[in-house]
Amino acid sequence: MGCDPASQVYVRNKHKACEECGIKSTIIELPETTTQPELLAQIEKLNGDKAVHGILVQSPLPKGLDEHQAFQAVDPLKDVDCFHPENIGLMMLGTPRFLPCTPAGVIELLVRTGIEISGQYIVIVGRSNIVGKPLANMLIQKAKNANATVTICHTGTKGLSYYTKQADIVVAAAGCAGMILGDMLNTNCVVVDVGTNEIEDSTKKSGHRLVGDVDYESASKVASYITPVPGGVGPMTIAMLLKNTVAAAKLTL
Ligand code: NAD
């Protein structure tokens, strides 16, 4: 990992969660001056270490480093983030080795709350490789806890609320503070807010606070269920990472 402040918080939270459940976690901080060959050599070293079952390359990498090349350098059997093309391919084909953590967390959250997914119309706002695209793929599988009809909306979508207003479930993953308002939603829909955006708040000691992509105030008046930010999808993402790590360890036993 580099020195990005948000990344440092994420990494600390993951490290703490590992400690709490008995998984040994080591943080390797590489200097901002790290070159691509040095980064790849570090990943190679971890790939070859039998005591290491999972490897995370914390994004964003310092400027000038190729993130995709780094993700692809991770041994697919240790790819507990599920970013490697081999693992994304397996997931798309419906025969997953690992599941990407945030999308898996969103689905687990719905399932544990008793919300039906099969046959539902789900609108995802955001098409990133780590949230929107894999989540849509997981939800359309002909499988348990899936079998939904999915639309992905993004910056090229005209008239976003046309789609969100019809949805039984809206998943907001755009990285745009408060962009989904109550009047864009179907009455009694379910709202899952993946967004984590830092906004200024002079009442806080830090001068800022975290908010989601959904305007909680107006959306919570319309929705039957809505996840909070912070405290909703974030902890689920970490839980799924731990689950993948245990699965990775079992693969090499
Ligand atoms: P990203 O920037 O890679 O992708 C955002 C996507 O949203 C893009 O595909 C873009 O087309 C779309 N988008 C942006 N603005 C839009 C708009 N106004 N209308 C429609 N579509 C729009 O982001 P990401 O990595 O997928 O993350 C999205 C958000 O989720 C961020 O706030 C991020 O911090 C958060 N996140 C949270 C967790 C968690 O565990 N809670 C995990 C990953 C990401």
Side-chain angles (χ1 to χ4, degrees), residues 19 24 35 78 88 111 127 142 147 154 158 173 185 214 240-241 247:
E19 280 188 335
K24 184 168 186 286
T35 63
K78 297 186 178 187
I88 294 170
V111 171
R127 59 176 157 193
K142 191 166 183 177
N147 205 31
H154 45 75
K158 289 181 188 159
L185 300 169
V214 178
M240 296 300 109
L241 175 66

Side-chain angles (χ1 to χ4, degrees), residues 43-62:
I43 294 171
E44 246 346 283
K45 198 170 146 200
L46 295 170
N47 283 342
D49 186 340
K50 284 199 166 61
V52 174
H53 299 109
I55 304 168
L56 305 182
V57 178
Q58 183 65 41
S59 169
L61 291 176

